[in-house]
Amino acid sequence: MHIKYIKLLGLALSISLAGCGIFGDKIEESKNWSAEKLYAEAKDELAAGSYDRSVQLFEKLESRFPFGAYAQQAQLEIAYVYYKQGDQAQALAAVDRFIKLHPNHANVDYMYYLRGLINFNDDMGFFSFIANQDITERDPKATRDSFDAFKELATRFPSSKYTPDAIARMKYLVNSLAQYDLHVAKYYLRRNAFVAAANRAQSAIKEYPDAPAVEEALVVLVKAYDGMGMIELRDDARRVFTSNFPKSTLLETYGSKKSWWKLWG
């Protein structure tokens, strides 16, 4: 029995050692790689869509060569890889870390741009309404954070090659935020919560005066004041609407038509 046990133990040990031979080389294949080799391999893995492996190699590069230019580039690349993976929390943490460690880096403008991209949320628009998602239940925090990041980029680095795209995205985000306030105002208006509707419509008008949503927000304001019986404020809002949108017929037709996507409802 004792001899049999020893044989089994020896067999298990030999299998274990064989396993190390099979997998150990794969695990430690980068052990003696230079910083340049690690970076090149990590970039190749990234290009191939092997994000986990890419991050592992970039992290090895940073830990083994912490003071070189490759390490800084690896930190930048790690943020991008997490962004590509859709890991918002890790991506934002990597971006913030890079900005904190290298505020004067030649490519720090890209980090501000990437921060905006990570938070950029374009699902507040057209397809959300088709899917009948209630926008009043959505949290616009990511949209606001994205706008703030793009704004900081445009302010700090007006000549950056990323700034034109950031400004274009900011215009979209402004209207998204205005649309959010507008839809909340309309939600309250439909439920005859006129004070809340007026307050939210005013918020859209004051905070985003150049957004297309302002036209309808003024109409909601007129309707809310009318619902409260505040005739003077209603007429003032109407005059502002007419002055800013003299050719608009929205005030006269508001609420009289169904949206096209609800025709079957």
Side-chain angles (χ1 to χ4, degrees):
M1 178 67 70
H2 182 67
I3 295 173
K4 184 177 180 181
Y5 175 77
I6 293 174
K7 288 182 177 180
L8 287 174
L9 182 62
L11 178 61
L13 181 60
S14 65
I15 292 173
S16 176
L17 292 173
C20 291
I22 294 170
F23 301 110
D25 291 341
K26 181 66 176 177
I27 294 172
E28 294 299 327
E29 65 179 343
S30 65
K31 184 177 180 179
N32 297 316
W33 288 357
S34 66
E36 184 178 6
K37 171 70 172 176
L38 276 167
Y39 183 75
E41 291 291 332
K43 288 289 284 185
D44 286 345
E45 296 289 351
L46 174 58
S50 301
Y51 299 130
D52 289 340
R53 179 61 175 161
S54 179
V55 167
Q56 289 174 5
L57 291 175
F58 281 129
E59 288 176 344
K60 286 180 184 291
L61 169 56
E62 183 184 357
S63 64
R64 293 177 188 174
F65 306 93
F67 304 112
Y70 279 110
Q72 295 180 10
Q73 189 64 27
Q75 292 166 9
L76 186 151
E77 298 283 0
I78 287 169
Y80 176 74
V81 176
Y82 281 132
Y83 162 64
K84 292 292 290 182
Q85 282 184 308
D87 191 335
Q88 185 186 53
Q90 291 272 41
L92 288 174
V95 165
D96 291 341
R97 176 170 176 260
F98 185 92
I99 292 174
K100 183 177 181 180
L101 290 175
H102 313 292
N104 299 315
H105 192 277
N107 295 322
V108 74
D109 59 332
Y110 175 70
M111 286 288 95
Y112 285 100
Y113 178 64
L114 186 58
R115 179 191 280 168
L117 288 181
I118 292 165
N119 281 307
F120 188 73
N121 184 5
D122 63 358
D123 67 356
M124 296 182 70
F126 183 70
F127 291 103
S128 294
F129 302 121
I130 291 180
N132 291 321
Q133 295 178 5
D134 187 351
I135 200 169
T136 62
E137 297 178 357
R138 304 179 67 83
D139 182 0
K141 182 181 183 303
T143 306
R144 295 182 189 279
D145 289 345
S146 181
F147 180 86
D148 290 342
F150 287 137
K151 182 178 180 181
E152 189 168 10
L153 168 65
T155 301
R156 288 180 176 233
F157 308 97
S159 300
S160 169
K161 65 181 180 180
Y162 304 109
T163 295
D165 184 67
I167 291 173
R169 291 176 186 269
M170 285 168 64
K171 291 178 181 178
Y172 168 83
L173 291 169
V174 161
N175 195 46
S176 292
L177 290 167
Q179 285 284 353
Y180 176 83
D181 278 348
L182 171 61
H183 280 266
V184 174
K186 290 165 65 178
Y187 172 87
Y188 288 132
L189 185 65
R190 289 194 300 272
R191 286 154 180 76
N192 296 328
F194 298 122
V195 174
N199 288 339
R200 209 56 187 253
Q202 285 178 334
S203 175
I205 294 165
K206 291 178 179 178
E207 292 191 39
Y208 316 106
D210 298 321
V214 167
E215 179 183 0
E216 190 172 357
L218 279 167
V219 174
V220 171
L221 192 59
V222 171
K223 298 293 184 180
Y225 284 143
D226 188 58
M228 288 186 284
M230 304 178 74
I231 306 304
E232 185 175 346
L233 288 176
R234 179 201 66 187
D235 292 344
D236 286 344
R238 186 188 294 272
R239 279 191 290 270
V240 171
F241 175 83
T242 303
S243 175
N244 285 274
F245 305 98
K247 297 181 180 181
S248 177
T249 60
L250 185 60
L251 188 58
E252 288 71 27
T253 61
Y254 197 74
S256 63
K257 296 180 180 179
K258 286 187 176 181
S259 299
W260 66 263
W261 63 86
K262 296 180 180 179
L263 289 178
W264 57 84

